[in-house]
Amino acid sequence: MNTRMRQILESKSAMRRRLGSLPFSEKLALLEKLRHRNRVFAYASLLKEYHQLTSNSIPGQEVGDLRARMEDLARHLTPKEVDFLNGLSIDLSTLGGTEVYEPDGKDQWTPQRIRETLKRAWSANDREAILKVLRKGPLLSAAQTAFLRAQSYEALGLPDIALLFMEYAAKKDPETSSYKILTMRLLEQTGRLDEAGRRAEAYLSEEGNDLNLRIFAAHILYDFAKTQRVEALPIYRRLATILEQSLSKYSKIKPNFQSMAVLGYMILANCYAALGKNAEEVQAYESGLEMEPQNSLVLAALGLTYADSDPSRARTYFMKAVERNTIAVSPYLYLAHHALKSADYRGCFELCEKLKNIANQARLKEVEATAWHWGAIAGFELGVNPESVRMAFEMALGLDPFDESIVYNFNLFKQLQQSLQPAAVVSGTRRLDWETNRVFDSKGARDELLENATPNLPV
Amino acid sequence: MQADGVIGKYAIGGAVGAIYYLEPSATLDVDIFISLKTPSDSSLVTLSPIYDYLISHGCKVEKEYIVIEGWPVQFLPVGDALDEEALAQAVETEVEGVRTWVMSAEHLVAIALRTGRAKDFTRILQFVESGVIDPNKLDQILERSGLLAKWEQFGDKYLKETE
């Protein structure tokens, strides 16, 4: 399972627990919202099906049945929802090749006014307003309009609909690689990794494609390879060859978009890691670092490559990554664990404080639990208020109730609070036998780095 | 409605009842279990007084539901001893300052098991996973309702891997 999928599952499970603990009336209010949302999504899906059937001129019973289902559902929609879905219906009809614009009515929609309104909606990130203004009159090319629609529908939680518009943008403007890249990403996002992988294969087999497209295609194919049990190694081999060639060509020209090449080196390194070629893996990371010496994700990745074989070197790379405020969790985890084991409680506490925020934002529940857990131990050893320590343990346990080491250490702490002599106290030194062994998941950490290294696309 | 004497004690069941204990999940309707007295001149229970009351207060009837403030509500007269017990032992709570009752988690599981549709089984699994069920209480309810054999079958089919 890839990191993103694991994160999704973990965040969903955390969300379920959080929602489960809300008061009944709040749950009912949420349910009300959910019912509206589901109706809109269900209707949008029927609308998509309807447009596909009618554009393929499939008449008769099937369309009739679909219309009946839509009419049934429409009775439960609010006027605002009907307005939104009518707009979607207009937008879907443009996929047939002709833009459809709403009649002007009393207001005159001059190109100037459309441009200004669109600009304002874009700045305010108001997706529904963007969609509305695009229906007022011609302003952008068909591809750009479809792209904006795709981005807006994706942001509104309709990636299936977004995919239709992004594919249309790619069809209308085959020269812009970002449309192809975003189509692959939407295919992956909507669970069609096979199709995304097939397209990635095709782009990689064409010589002329630009580096952005090749690297994103490699990324998609790498994700696809991870899901394959038997055929993964030949894919990694082929990807490594393609990336070596593409990146060496790229380095001969003046780089104008380094992060993309760095991502390429990171995928290359991961392919080598999967093939067991560690020297080549390190070389790939070092090439990436040469390109961007301050890139904290590459520094973290290099730390990971030495985590088992050369801990001191690993720490050096991890420390550099932390100094650059990396958003990867692995350096913080590794260093905080080392600090805890070395009784550097101040260092551990500070690292855990940073780690809590990063893990929380990335919705990495177990990592956040670890940060609270080790922070509680370090805090206790530093003489922090016992109530704060207790709260930190409770937070850790709430986030990861199945971690036995948290349970063990929380009990140890409670024994101390009750003035019982814990068995683990070594007389005289007051050093406690905290359970802090943790298996460092370097593979999971590498996947996380790759996800974080994906830059935003220049469109 | 209760204050106006149209209904006596009631309890929320079904998916909406379940979200008292679990996270909210998609559902179309609200199931409200009520106890109705059979009129002396008839052997049939009737929901007419409830419908008349709600229609007079602006609610609309749609198929088997009556729509109250946008929510399709189905009133279900208690049908057997399990329903009656679920109603009697419902948990009291408050929604926006109004006192209301929700069936106990164990009764919701037992009724879902009796109903036995795929979505009922999914809900039972959610209850099992959430850990809110008191196994002893559930055992007693299932035994009294003659649902132990069905529970065994359910366990064989769905719970073996989680044990």
Side-chain angles (χ1 to χ4, degrees), chain B residues 4-79:
Chain B
D4 288 346
V6 182
I7 54 170
K9 188 169 180 182
Y10 70 90
I12 302 170
V16 176
I19 69 156
Y20 179 73
Y21 306 94
L22 307 170
E23 77 279 7
S25 55
T27 182
L28 282 175
D29 59 332
V30 185
D31 292 339
I32 294 189
F33 288 73
I34 47 169
S35 179
L36 285 179
K37 284 178 185 165
T38 312
S40 53
D41 57 344
S42 168
S43 58
L44 294 172
V45 291
T46 175
L47 292 168
S48 297
I50 295 172
Y51 275 56
D52 293 345
Y53 176 88
L54 288 169
I55 290 165
S56 71
H57 283 74
C59 299
K60 284 183 183 164
V61 178
E62 274 184 16
K63 295 179 185 169
E64 66 270 43
Y65 304 109
I66 185 145
V67 183
I68 307 173
E69 291 182 14
W71 289 81
V73 178
Q74 195 171 13
F75 288 94
L76 301 160
V78 292

Side-chain angles (χ1 to χ4, degrees), chain A residues 11-29:
Chain A
S11 68
K12 282 199 183 297
S13 146
M15 176 86 81
R16 282 178 59 183
R17 273 207 294 277
R18 194 177 64 77
L19 290 174
S21 63
L22 291 175
F24 190 39
S25 49
E26 280 183 38
K27 288 179 181 177
L28 288 176

Side-chain angles (χ1 to χ4, degrees), chain A residues 443-455:
Chain A
K443 183 165 183 324
R446 278 165 214 226
D447 287 343
E448 179 221 350
L449 290 177
L450 210 53
E451 293 298 331
N452 284 329
T454 308

